[in-house]
Amino acid sequence: MSLSTRNDSPRAVDGATARAGSRFPARAAILLLCALFLGMAGLYTWIIPPLEGFDASAHYMATLYWREFRSPPPLDEATAQYSYELIAQPPLYHALAALAGAGWPLEESKAFVEASRNPYHAKVLSKRQTVTLPGTPLDLLMPIALARGVAMLGGLLAVLATWVLARSFFPRLPSLALAASALVAFNPQFLFMSATITPDPWAAATVAWSVTLAACAYARDWPARRWAWAGVAGGVALLTKYSAFLAGVPALVLLVALARRRGAGHALRAAAFALLGGLIAAGPWLLRNLLLYGELIPLKQMAVAIPTLNRAEPFTLDRTWDYVPWLIASYWGVFVSNIAPGWYLETTRIFMWIAAAGLVVFLLRRWSDRLARRYLVVAVSAAWFAVVALAVLYWTRTVEYGEQGRLAHIAAPALALIFALGWQGWLPERRLPALHVGLTGFALLLAGSQLWTLHDAYHMPPSLNPVPAFDRAYDVAFDGGMRLLGADFPDGEAIAADQPLRLTLYFTADHEIEDHYTLFLHLAGDGDRILYQYDGVPAAGRHSTRQWRPGEVFADEYLITVDDIPADDLATLSIGFYPVDDPTVRLNARDTSGASLGDRVVLAQIRAHDAYAPAPVAPQRLDAVWEQGIALAAADVQFGPDGSPRAVAVTWQAEADVAADYTVFVQALNEDGDVIAQVDQQPHDSDYPTSTWAAGDVIKDAYTLVWPATDENAPAWRQVIIGLYAQDGTRLRLVEPDAGSDFYILARHE
């Protein structure tokens, strides 16, 4: 069917589509959509730290350059040192952000950016690019917030452009415009960019408006001169991102359709006016590039100023194609170093496949609207997406760090239309408004689903108030300002090959910490053989020492796993810190008196669960059970020739994981209850401390009573007792028998 038929223009629509559209509250829908976008973008902004984002620090430095020099930068290495984004990007976004932040401190802002850099991100020890500095004044945060606000405004303009574009093609079906706009607005990747410091939302917006104005000119049969507005928008797009010239491809499709409908002369005049509009908007900037660097887009000079910009060896086609799944994922949910969960990415893939299959149905079904109009809409959208997709593949192949699907967001409106139309193909015409509302709800759910992903990636550990009691208290200060208060071993201080050891450390800062220090947590066996090692940033890489707040106590959790568990041996778990760039220099640790403890703190002795195998047959258990699940399963008192007790052989049984160290005491008492012989000893002479006991462990041990040195016979004894006490001397109480007693009687002498 010819595209030249007048009634086949996008304005031609009737039947069930018109009746369904007439009942849809279009104005209220777009106002609500904009409000929801701003609200969701605000939530993303609240969760994402100030300078996180794709090259956010470099983009912010570019805005500071414009604030400082107020003129276009030369494309040289000195400018690249200031900010490489000044080399790779046109000026529009940075200039707008600079204008928004004019009047706020400049030199302090540059120092703030430098201090906020996270050196662990480059070392792949942290997924955060920056740290959140404590006590940052409002006058340093405000211009950052304004720069983010400018990006958010660009995102809003892209959403509105998508609405107008869809209404131009389907004026009587506003619910379709709602669905397409929502698929742009609530894509978590697009929201992330709209909430950070980047020109990407403005690139998407300006390209979208360029195509949208061309679609309006075609759909509403504007005079040729009004195509200049599409050109102006395209020129503004070129001032935002050089890749915006790709907007010319979908506009060209519309011009071809215009030529078939109105004649080649009219189309050529429209193209001339569009070109004139583009030159009015971007001509001075492009002319400057041509005069200074010999190119309208100075790609060669960019490569000189940033030698690492281009890959030394471009990817092969096969390797480039292997990146396609990653590019798709990063279109929907790769937030710099934090990737959306697998279920979410799989959901978006299924959504795309259903839309792609439905698009064929959409083009072939007999509906009330004109078939030619459907072909035109799909042709414009497909051309727009295809040229951008090819460009992204080219950047992936040739540009360092170019393998990013977010770069395809300059075609986000086209993809949104394709998705909405594809899903539309599966339902009858009368169900379309309900479908479009459903797609809007689906997009909103996608946006909300990634709030927790971002929160988990960026939140700092909460300050503990009140501070809990610790299984082990240390109160050790490290040079630099870090203080270790205590540790918890929720499952005891034992480990098995198939079950990790849980550890919670409690830290605070004595004062603001001015440097980055790496925490090391090592579990070492005989000969200092490392069984487990963590060298990195506390709180799973989120809480660098540079952002610790004085006086605030936080918990830092670890799961310690060991593949090669040593048999019949204690391993030593220790902790310490060293400067970020020098692991050979460990910081000194001091106790509360200021005495040096060396360059590490021993947290505990850790034992494997299977280091002492349980007896094949459990012995007859006595009715003696203490708190913490410690039971006496068997006891044998051994006597000397004079009839006095000399030693005790016992079998302990752990009814639960034991989380603390207890000392065993065995005492011989006289008839007055005085101690006449005793021994105080941790199990296996401290080689098998109770903190390493795990539920089900059976431990055999022996204790030799120490009698006072005398030539006379041993004093008369009346009973032998056994019990346990904690490090502070507090005795454990019996649960049975004699609940509440702090000892168990092993033997009596009448």
Side-chain angles (χ1 to χ4, degrees), residues 618-635:
Q620 182 65 38
R621 203 190 82 186
L622 299 176
D623 291 330
V625 181
W626 280 264
E627 299 168 324
Q628 308 301 321
I630 298 175
L632 186 64

Side-chain angles (χ1 to χ4, degrees), residues 62-63 66 90-100:
T63 70
W66 279 90
L92 181 63
Y93 169 77
H94 298 139
L96 289 175
L99 182 63

